[in-house]
Amino acid sequence: MTTIKDAFKKWEEKHPGKVISEEEEIGLQFQFPPIEKLDNSLSILTNCRKLSLSTNMIEKIAGLSQLKNLKILSLGRNYIKNFSGLETVGDTLEELWISYNLIEKLKGINCLKKLRVLYMSNNLVKEWVEFNRLQELPCLEDLLFIGNPIYEGVDAETWKAEVGKRLPNLRKLDGEPLIRDE
């Protein structure tokens, strides 16, 4: 397994002359062997605005408390089961890319007060009760949710109508503008 510190070393080897703690955009995706754990080594990334950790084997979100400038977090294609660990970036995070994970419940997502974009296709959400937790995100305008079991047996028009009713501020759903019948 690759630790966060190992990934930092690899990053700095690939970017000679750059210091990871000063960078605003950091990609630690596709590590081999993959990253399995996030830890407090991430705390040096105080300038980071966009952090990509996609395509690893991360199970839990952790170590983000010092990332006070984080706007975009990419965690797609991991083994994440819930939103625990995001509380510390709740006041800054605007985009969360978390498709292809193992999320069934949306408990805790309400801490993301500034979230505008949520890409969480191909997870395990199957109940409207869970989907409705997205109503607690006042700024949400772009949602990618296709590939979750909640879709099964629902035709596209019904899906768009239901989502439109439940999330009145949403502008874009599954990559397309959400047009409402006034």
Side-chain angles (χ1 to χ4, degrees), residues 133-149:
R133 292 181 189 258
L134 297 176
Q135 294 168 335
E136 299 174 54
L137 301 174
C139 303
L140 188 64
E141 54 187 44
D142 184 353
L143 176 65
L144 186 64
F145 216 77
I146 201 160
N148 278 282

Side-chain angles (χ1 to χ4, degrees), residues 91-150:
D91 290 337
T92 58
L93 201 67
E94 293 176 9
E95 299 190 20
L96 178 60
W97 307 349
I98 199 160
S99 293
Y100 294 95
N101 273 285
L102 305 171
I103 298 167
E104 194 177 331
K105 307 257 187 247
L106 277 68
K107 183 176 182 256
I109 198 165
N110 60 330
C111 71
L112 302 175
K113 296 295 178 211
K114 294 210 171 126
L115 199 69
R116 291 182 304 100
V117 176
L118 177 61
Y119 295 154
M120 66 169 294
S121 69
N122 300 283
N123 273 281
L124 303 174
V125 180
K126 55 181 176 270
E127 295 171 11
W128 282 107
V129 158
E130 291 303 322
F131 183 89
N132 289 345
R133 292 181 189 258
L134 297 176
Q135 294 168 335
E136 299 174 54
L137 301 174
C139 303
L140 188 64
E141 54 187 44
D142 184 353
L143 176 65
L144 186 64
F145 216 77
I146 201 160
N148 278 282
I150 195 170

Side-chain angles (χ1 to χ4, degrees), residues 7-23 25-29 31:
F8 285 176
K9 276 187 206 128
K10 285 184 194 175
W11 189 94
E12 288 186 334
E13 285 164 12
K14 271 192 204 156
H15 302 86
K18 291 192 174 181
V19 180
I20 200 163
S21 60
E22 295 169 4
E23 292 300 306
E25 213 169 291
I26 298 160
L28 303 174
Q29 63 273 38
Q31 293 295 311

